[in-house]
Amino acid sequence: QVQLVESGGDLVQPGGSLRLSCVASGFTFSNNVMSWYRQAPGKEREWVGHTNSGGIATYAGSVKGRFTISRDNAKSTVYLQMNSLKPEDTAVYYCNVFIGGTLRWGQGTQVTVSS
């Protein structure tokens, strides 16, 4: 059974940093692209970035240079390091994986950037 569990969300001041984690199980983690998305209140879910099986990451323009995606295949975990956070980064953050013809999502973790 595919399972994704995000953690690490919190309330942080503008300019601060957070690291989110997504622990995966139920599939061969090392073979798969892992993605991060976010959804702000009243807005559609948007792609943040992803890392391929080799650890190469690609980012949305809004987070490029501030966010870093990495993965630890031994721990079946993908990370999202977020620096220089802005109020507009406030959202629920989700990881996902495309497995067996279906997108699988975690439950999300709330990030709030506010003074």
Side-chain angles (χ1 to χ4, degrees):
Q1 180 181 355
V2 174
Q3 193 169 19
L4 301 171
V5 180
E6 301 96 334
S7 63
D10 205 345
L11 170 64
V12 62
Q13 292 189 342
S17 298
L18 275 178
R19 189 178 82 156
L20 307 183
S21 300
C22 171
V23 179
S25 60
F27 62 99
T28 306
F29 178 83
S30 59
N31 290 352
N32 287 278
V33 172
M34 298 298 300
S35 302
W36 284 98
Y37 280 71
R38 66 185 181 185
Q39 188 166 19
K43 295 189 176 181
E44 292 189 354
R45 196 169 294 190
E46 67 170 349
W47 174 72
V48 173
H50 63 244
T51 174
N52 66 14
S53 58
I56 304 300
T58 307
Y59 302 94
S62 58
V63 306
K64 195 171 185 179
R66 299 188 299 121
F67 289 11
T68 302
I69 297 173
S70 61
R71 64 193 296 159
D72 185 338
N73 289 336
K75 295 182 178 180
S76 296
T77 301
V78 59
Y79 302 100
L80 179 63
Q81 177 68 44
M82 305 185 293
N83 299 329
S84 302
L85 283 161
K86 306 175 182 180
E88 51 264 43
D89 295 317
T90 295
V92 177
Y93 284 73
Y94 301 88
C95 63
N96 79 21
V97 63
F98 188 73
I99 286 285
T102 305
L103 264 179
R104 306 298 183 99
W105 297 87
Q107 84 289 347
T109 186
Q110 175 70 49
V111 173
T112 303
V113 185
S114 175
S115 54

